[in-house]
Amino acid sequence: MMKVFCGRVNPTTGSVDWLEEDEHYDYHQEIARSSYADMLHDKDRNQKYYQGIRAAVQRVKERGQEAIVLDIGTGTGLLSMMAATAGADFCYAIEVFKPMAEAAVRIIQANGLSDKIKVINKHSTEVTVGSDGDMKQRANILITELFDTELIGEGALPSYEHAQRNLMQGRWEAVPHRATVYAQLVESRRMWGWNKLFPLQMDSVDIRPPLAMQSCPGTLSVCDVQLGQMSPSDFTKLSDILCVFRVDFSQQVNSYAVSHPVHFTPIASGAAQVILSWWDIDMDPEGKITCSMKPSWMYPASQSVPWRDHWMQCVYFLPEERPVKEGEELCLTGHQDDYCVWYTLTEPRKVSELDQVPLDRPACQCGAHITWNRTRFGELNDQHRMELYRDALRKIFTVESSSMSQHLMEKLFQTNELGDKIQVLQKSPAGITAADLHDKKISALIGEPFFTTSLLPWHNLYFWYSRTALSDRLTRDFTVLPLRASLYVLAVEFKDLWRIRSPCGICEGFDVSIMDEMIKDSLNFRESQEAEPHPLWEYPCRALSDPTKVMTFDFREPVPTEDMKSEGSFNLVRSGESHGVVLWMEYQLTEDISLSTGLLCASEEVGECQWYPHSKQGVYFFSSVLDPQSAPTHGFKSVTYLLTFDPKLGDIRMCFTQVS
């Protein structure tokens, strides 16, 4: 088997590691971390697509035509199989990802539909039509699932535009038939704190962000979240739900930039800051078959809410906060180009042709929105967290190897007149010399710790490696903050998140177990023995065990040269379906002040968990989720664990086993 060397930045140690990988490593990564299983488990989506496809085939047949289907981005081939079963005469299923196209061929063959479906392993813009082409004739039914949470972020509009011009007949049916984008203006300090840095209250003094940071519009990238998990107290609605724009897929789509002004009257007074947005797709022209992405709080109490993670809801940030008054007319404009959507709020004016020309895409001008992600902004705006650090701090020293971060730090210090008291060293810890420290030793070493490269909780142990690199620069009785970090684990029952890793088997009557096996094989390649990062405040779960400390990293000592191992077990204290283990770090700032980046509390009665919202936790799914036939998810009494921290790689190998 061919091997390749891959250079990767180790998020814990900061070094570039050259690893020997199987030539199919990237393919396995793509499959293992894909959303294919999530989509296949989305019964609401699947049923609505099937209904829409049946109706489209029927409309074409009623016109006396053959039903020729073009399915762009076929994935498993599910939608093409639906079309073939619904009576389509032939289907062209396009899939650009080669391993997925090969899987689609096998799945279609396993379901006995190979004579009705041709899989084309190309990008749709490369497909040819003609006697010697990929397609023998143009299609008259266009089926796609090219959407992301933002609707158009995966390039749906250019793909539609090309296909309609080059691969479709003069009249066609489309499934979905149309999409509608909705928006609601809200005031929300919590969400606004994902985009703006607030003044930090420190006793009688406020630490203020630079003016450039306060006025910066931020980046264009959409913030996608499970809005249903936001508390009603987290935002105030300032407008009704507004229809911003529609896209009719049965007509020629254009991907050029356009703006959509919507006049409205605020329903409350407040500070306009954030736009909540989602979309619906109508599968038929009459709008009787609708698949909605609306948040759960919009559903009647009597109606079940479909769960999906591949499509969520969007949070957009206005370029600047502005006050609005109830009853005074305003204009919310949704700007849209071929890949992005953004919003501006203005005084009402007569709609003209100028309104149809979008403003330039907003771009970060201060550097903070490029350097920090949104959870980092939220973390810095967490007053309680900062108060813990304030109580623990005594002296300040700053080392920053990132030039962008150094620039931000210097701006903050200058704004708050601290430039002469704090010096930023733009060096890695290992590169700091005695001259940099004016021939003095470091008596206090502090860190949050936070690093932009971190994905999993223990990746922030980069702080430990930094401390180790500075060993020769430390005084004998130096103080370090935090003192130590501890890794905690907790067995949980997820309400829905388990679905992303659970095999589907039969989907709307079609056998897709070949896809299940592909995902399982790719997970077994490596990922089934690893944790994956998830922001668990968005995903409800119940604690089935008490939190257990399984490993401690003492920052007063250097990183060890040998592996650190931890082995043991913990009992399940509540009944339920045991889906996996959550892992997080707790930092001991001082002997009596600690900060958790994971579980904040769990209710005594049922174990409902509240999670730290400003970082992702690690999730290790049990084999019973990945392979339900191997073992049931219930009936277990305890969990055994074996954890190994490899100081050379800065990562943790882990194995958790359920015990009856």
Side-chain angles (χ1 to χ4, degrees), residues 38 107 199 208 234 252 291 303 306 463 474 525 543 547 562 577:
D38 179 26
I107 292 170
R208 297 173 289 111
D234 284 328
Q252 181 61 55
C291 188
Q303 186 176 352
F463 175 76
L474 302 173
F525 184 79
E562 301 297 325
E577 295 190 12

Side-chain angles (χ1 to χ4, degrees), residues 182-201:
Y182 298 95
Q184 187 168 38
L185 180 67
V186 303
E187 174 183 352
S188 173
R189 180 175 176 82
R190 177 180 176 184
M191 287 184 273
W192 191 236
W194 296 342
N195 190 57
K196 299 290 184 180
L197 191 60
F198 301 149
L200 177 61
Q201 299 172 359

Side-chain angles (χ1 to χ4, degrees), residues 355-545:
D355 292 311
Q356 305 303 314
V357 181
L359 302 174
D360 292 335
R361 289 184 179 186
C364 175
Q365 301 158 1
C366 70
H369 302 88
I370 299 172
T371 306
W372 299 333
N373 58 26
R374 292 188 171 106
T375 55
R376 176 58 171 167
F377 272 93
E379 191 171 49
L380 291 172
N381 287 321
D382 186 334
Q383 186 66 29
H384 172 68
R385 175 181 176 276
M386 288 310 204
E387 287 172 354
L388 293 177
Y389 275 97
R390 179 199 62 190
D391 294 341
L393 284 173
R394 291 297 180 266
K395 295 181 181 180
I396 298 177
F397 293 87
T398 298
V399 175
E400 181 53 68
S401 58
S402 162
S403 59
M404 182 66 77
S405 293
Q406 181 199 23
H407 179 70
L408 289 176
M409 302 283 280
E410 290 175 342
K411 288 290 185 184
L412 281 168
F413 299 154
Q414 291 169 11
T415 299
N416 294 278
E417 300 178 351
L418 295 171
D420 60 338
K421 298 179 180 179
I422 303 174
Q423 179 185 0
V424 179
L425 303 177
Q426 189 188 341
K427 289 187 173 183
S428 67
I432 292 177
T433 65
D436 294 323
L437 302 175
H438 307 291
D439 293 319
K440 296 179 180 179
K441 292 280 189 175
I442 298 169
S443 59
L445 182 66
I446 66 171
E448 292 192 61
F450 167 83
F451 301 97
T452 56
T453 56
S454 298
L455 298 175
L456 288 159
W458 46 92
H459 289 165
N460 283 321
L461 289 175
Y462 181 72
F463 175 76
W464 199 15
Y465 287 83
S466 300
R467 171 259 178 269
T468 303
L470 290 167
S471 292
D472 292 340
R473 309 296 173 196
L474 302 173
T475 61
R476 182 171 298 178
D477 59 347
F478 77 98
T479 299
V480 63
L481 183 156
L483 292 172
R484 67 185 74 91
S486 296
L487 180 67
Y488 280 79
V489 298
L490 178 78
V492 298
E493 174 187 49
F494 286 111
K495 180 182 178 184
D496 293 299
L497 187 62
W498 60 272
R499 301 176 193 273
I500 68 172
R501 295 292 168 254
S502 179
C504 184
I506 303 298
C507 181
E508 298 305 310
F510 300 100
D511 184 352
V512 294
S513 56
I514 289 172
M515 186 68 226
D516 295 335
E517 289 300 317
M518 283 185 63
I519 294 175
K520 181 182 175 182
D521 289 345
S522 292
L523 286 168
N524 287 338
F525 184 79
R526 179 178 300 166
E527 278 71 15
S528 63
Q529 298 302 312
E530 293 183 351
E532 52 189 85
H534 291 284
L536 292 188
W537 73 266
E538 296 184 57
Y539 304 104
C541 63
R542 294 175 54 241
L544 300 186
S545 72

Side-chain angles (χ1 to χ4, degrees), residues 191-231:
M191 287 184 273
W192 191 236
W194 296 342
N195 190 57
K196 299 290 184 180
L197 191 60
F198 301 149
L200 177 61
Q201 299 172 359
M202 301 291 285
D203 297 325
S204 59
V205 179
D206 285 352
I207 298 177
R208 297 173 289 111
L211 182 60
M213 196 180 295
Q214 296 181 56
S215 60
C216 181
T219 59
L220 191 59
S221 60
V222 66
C223 178
D224 54 343
V225 299
Q226 295 281 4
L227 271 182
Q229 297 307 310
M230 296 288 291
S231 168

